[in-house]
Amino acid sequence: MQVQTTFKKDTPILYLVATPIGNLDDMSLRAIEVLKAVDFIYAEDTRTSQKLMKYHQILTPLKSFHEHNEEAKANDVIRRLTAGRNVALISDAGSPLISDPGESLVKKVREKGYSVSAIPGPTAVITALTASNLMTAPFTFIGFLPQKEKAKQDTIKQYMAAPETLIFYESPHRIHKTLQAMYEILGDREICIARELTKIYETFIHMRLSEHENLPPLKGEIVLIVEGAPKQETLSPHDMIEHVALLIADGESEMQAIKTVAKLRQLKKNTVYMAYQNHKKT
Ligand code: SAM
């Protein structure tokens, strides 16, 4: 057990500071205060963050920290904490670590016994979900899907029986193919495409997956929110059998497909096995 009482002792802190996802005014007073007070700010792209620093008159030195130098820079951060300095991590936009670098840094800093504190603020996932008109809890944040079609489809399949709202980050170049794959795998569901949040062209598109062919080309940054599996779908034996058949058609052996379906639907393997064998006899 490790208990961190962040502000009760005078030890250095790594602050994870959320920054705007478009509108530079979406910066909390505390986020500005912390960024002004720390000794160094590690940023994904120092040129991008420079605009934010200038806008809020933050003069703290910026250091680079991105996915390709995370390991080396983590040691750098630990050296500074050891020297008694406070450090902040920011990403280009939104919350650090949310589909952005920082996870292994946080792990290392905690291992060394230093405090880690998050300064809350904008993140596209919550901003989109809040205004999506879809169920806000429970939800699963998946982030970016794999780019290769087969891997993408496999990931979508993992969630076909999930009853909770599903949230994805997606690029405008891939959204059409992704929606088609989702329609084929998940069936017709309500979705919301949240585009360019907090920016001048902010748009919410509420539609069903069956309408995917009518979606015009899109530009800008996108969050895709998908309604969870309907309740009866998760429970119906018919869907369970269809799920097995779909995995078999996709190349899995019968036993493997039965195992996968049992695991995903949290059922006994034998229940799925018997249902599928009975179905084969009909
Ligand atoms: N750390 C960020 C956060 O907390 O949301 C996410 C960073 S991730 C590298 C960038 C992706 O987040 C974009 O491709 C898009 O899917 C989503 N995103 C970021 N800003 C957005 C915005 N203003 N509107 C819609 N989606 C956005």
Side-chain angles (χ1 to χ4, degrees), residues 21-22 44 91 93-100 122-125 144 168-171 194-199 221-223:
I21 54 170
E44 231 187 322
S91 60
S95 293
L97 278 80
I98 303 301
S99 293
D100 267 333
T123 180
V125 46
F144 288 104
F168 304 85
Y169 284 168
E170 189 51 291
S171 105
R195 192 181 78 88
E196 293 288 271
L197 291 162
T198 77
K199 303 181 205 175
E221 298 192 281
I222 288 175
V223 182

Side-chain angles (χ1 to χ4, degrees), residues 264-278:
L264 291 175
R265 293 176 182 245
Q266 295 173 337
L267 296 167
K268 284 196 176 137
K269 209 166 61 192
N270 198 39
T271 310
V272 183
Y273 178 80
M274 291 311 292
Y276 192 67
Q277 299 312 319
N278 288 338

